Amino acid sequence: MYTEQGGEGPDLLVLLHGMGATGAVWSPLCAQAGARWSGRWLALDLPGHGASDRQASYAIGQHAATVARAVLPHLQPEGRLVVLGHSLGGVIGLALATGWFGVVPHAVFAAGIKVGWSDEEVRRMETLAMQPTKRFATKEEAVDRYLKVSGLAAIADATAPVVARGVTQEDEGWRLAMDPRANAVGKPPLSELVGLARCPVHLGQGRHDALVTMEQTRSLDPEARDLGPHGHNVMVEAPGAVWDWMASLS
């Protein structure tokens, strides 16, 4: 798995991005880590995303197992493990919270998890997973598509650090770095994962997140945090609000 890391100390903050994005979406938050986090941080490109390898299955359990293997060498016996996930990354964080995958976080923070899934939405994701990789003649076209797929179009431009590793070039042209098969993640068993958690789990979201309502989020966590007048990618729009949320519950 491709990783970026920084900081020093025994505690480790693991950052897990959402579907279609890369670990680069955490760059605004990581830029503030020196002043807001007294430990190390590790941002990963999830399997089938960015510069990480593809894998045969993209089920939540498979994601969690792969992330756990990548995280284990970075843990220190006296340190705390805190997981901060966004969207799909938040669901993976909930899976890690069960302790089934060889690591037990001290706490899991999950922002912008999509709670409601209709059968039609699940079928649409399965259809996307079966489609061939789309090629683009230019990098500009590919980046424009990536901005839309990752939900960054309204808050970042093609040159922003958060766009890094979102597209790649091959002999046939440019394409999104994401493996299309990664769309077949399935409907996550959110209530079950929250109920099985062996550590504190904290949910939050931007108030204007188009993928989930606060009512839905609070059906899983009655104390879920309203992170302000922001959209789905709240960690890009308002990294300070995410740091404040974590600090208030640490």
Side-chain angles (χ1 to χ4, degrees), residues 4 31 70 166-167 211 248:
E4 293 183 322
V167 303
L211 297 185
S248 71

Side-chain angles (χ1 to χ4, degrees), residues 13-122:
L13 174 63
V14 172
L15 303 166
L16 305 176
H17 65 79
M19 175 78 74
T22 77
V25 296
W26 298 107
S27 55
L29 186 129
C30 292
Q32 300 178 8
R36 302 300 304 264
W37 173 250
S38 58
R40 294 166 294 130
W41 56 266
L42 182 71
L44 299 82
D45 284 358
L46 292 175
H49 292 74
S52 287
D53 290 342
R54 300 184 175 197
Q55 59 186 28
S57 168
Y58 294 102
I60 294 299
Q62 186 61 57
H63 271 302
T66 304
V67 168
R69 286 194 298 270
V71 167
L72 273 171
H74 296 272
L75 298 180
Q76 296 184 11
E78 69 279 18
R80 299 181 309 151
L81 169 63
V82 177
V83 177
L84 171 59
H86 172 247
S87 198
L88 169 64
V91 180
I92 297 169
L94 296 183
L96 293 173
T98 66
W100 292 351
F101 300 95
V103 298
V104 180
H106 176 82
V108 170
F109 292 83
I113 289 180
K114 179 175 169 59
V115 176
W117 285 89
S118 68
D119 291 341
E120 181 182 352
E121 287 174 322
V122 174

Side-chain angles (χ1 to χ4, degrees), residues 139-196:
K139 180 179 181 179
E140 290 72 22
E141 291 175 285
V143 169
D144 182 68
R145 178 59 179 165
Y146 173 69
L147 287 168
K148 295 174 182 175
V149 167
S150 61
L152 296 169
I155 56 176
D157 60 33
T159 62
V162 295
V163 180
R165 302 186 305 281
V167 303
T168 189
Q169 187 178 26
E170 297 179 332
D171 292 341
E172 299 89 348
W174 290 86
R175 65 169 176 84
L176 301 191
M178 176 187 176
D179 180 357
R181 296 178 304 139
N183 285 292
V185 69
K187 181 179 179 179
L190 297 176
S191 296
E192 290 84 350
L193 292 176
V194 170
L196 290 166

